[in-house]
């Protein structure tokens, strides 16, 4: 019962903060859509971000995870909020290697064999998070699960499954439209 209530609370929060928009949109994948999920609206609204962190925290509490991660930029507020909610260390993944300062692709520390759960704002095909998964795996850590705030139900679940990663949507697009 409370799981359903949490999902309903999240759906209501996403709609209330203006994250669900209707019109003609081009997605990052290049596909056209009659609706757009603007999770940046949700992740910059403290009340909605708390709801997201709480719901993700419920999923994470029964998993064996060493850290939570997010891809720069969209995943940063989500992963940070979930890190605070769960008290798990935070890993941020840059889209490319930083060439100055201490360099590197990651912010935060993890060891070989660490289990990292990634947070994603919206998944369509899964392409953007797959690059981060490959980078983390090449660095010797384990990623076998991604929590997405909204899955557009456009192939991400299968794409991630094909590389041994389970997609866990907090909400599906069909719940919102």
């Amino acid at each position: 019962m409370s799981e359903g209530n949490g999902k309903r609370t999240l759906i209501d929060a996403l709609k209330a903060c203006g994250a669900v928009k209707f019109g003609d949109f081009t997605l990052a994948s290049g596909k056209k859509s009659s609706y757009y999920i603007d999770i940046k609206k949700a992740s910059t609204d403290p009340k909605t971000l708390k709801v997201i962190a709480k719901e993700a925290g419920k999923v994470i509490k029964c998993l064996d995870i060493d850290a939570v991660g997010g891809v720069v930029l969209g995943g940063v507020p989500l992963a940070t909020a979930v890190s605070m909610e769960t008290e798990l260390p935070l890993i941020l993944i840059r889209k490319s290697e930083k060439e100055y300062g201490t360099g590197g692709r990651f912010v935060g520390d993890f060891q070989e064999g660490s289990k990292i759960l990634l947070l994603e704002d919206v998944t369509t095909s899964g392409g953007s998070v797959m690059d981060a998964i490959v980078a983390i795996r090449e660095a010797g850590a384990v990623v076998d699960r991604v929590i997405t705030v909204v899955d557009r139900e456009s192939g991400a679940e299968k794409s991630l499954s094909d590389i041994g990663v389970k997609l866990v949507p907090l909400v599906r697009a069909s719940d919102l439209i």
Side-chain angles (χ1 to χ4, degrees):
M1 174 118 166
S2 76
E3 186 177 306
N5 287 343
K7 183 176 176 179
R8 171 50 47 203
T9 301
L10 178 55
I11 290 168
D12 292 345
L14 290 171
K15 288 181 176 178
C17 76
V20 183
K21 302 177 183 304
F22 296 93
D24 293 319
F25 303 96
T26 301
L27 307 177
S29 64
K31 293 181 181 173
K32 300 287 187 191
S33 178
S34 60
Y35 68 94
Y36 183 71
I37 313 296
D38 186 358
I39 291 296
K40 291 358 174 230
K41 286 263 191 207
S43 61
T44 57
D45 176 66
K47 290 179 181 168
T48 306
L49 189 55
K50 279 183 187 177
V51 173
I52 292 168
K54 190 172 185 174
E55 289 306 299
K58 288 179 192 175
V59 173
I60 291 170
K61 74 177 180 187
C62 53
L63 300 174
D64 178 24
I65 300 295
D66 297 312
V68 295
V71 179
V72 174
L73 180 71
V76 172
L78 301 172
T80 302
V82 172
S83 172
M84 292 175 73
E85 174 74 20
T86 61
E87 298 187 357
L88 286 166
L90 175 65
I91 307 294
L92 302 178
I93 302 96
R94 294 186 179 102
K95 293 187 190 285
S96 61
E97 197 85 18
K98 185 174 123 181
E99 299 298 330
Y100 55 92
T102 56
R105 176 115 191 238
F106 307 105
V107 176
D109 297 319
F110 60 89
Q111 311 302 316
E112 188 162 330
S114 290
K115 296 179 193 137
I116 301 173
L117 179 138
L118 291 181
L119 287 124
E120 182 74 316
D121 50 9
V122 178
T123 49
T124 302
S125 65
S128 32
V129 77
M130 288 174 81
D131 181 51
I133 292 167
V134 168
I136 292 167
R137 287 177 171 175
E138 285 175 353
V142 176
V143 179
D144 64 6
R145 198 170 304 253
V146 171
I147 292 177
T148 185
V149 179
V150 180
D151 179 32
R152 290 185 60 95
E153 302 169 276
S154 299
E157 195 164 11
K158 169 139 182 27
S159 297
L160 291 171
S161 175
D162 288 348
I163 62 165
V165 176
K166 178 175 175 54
L167 181 66
V168 182
L170 297 180
V171 176
R172 295 182 189 279
S174 56
D175 299 323
L176 289 172
I177 56 174

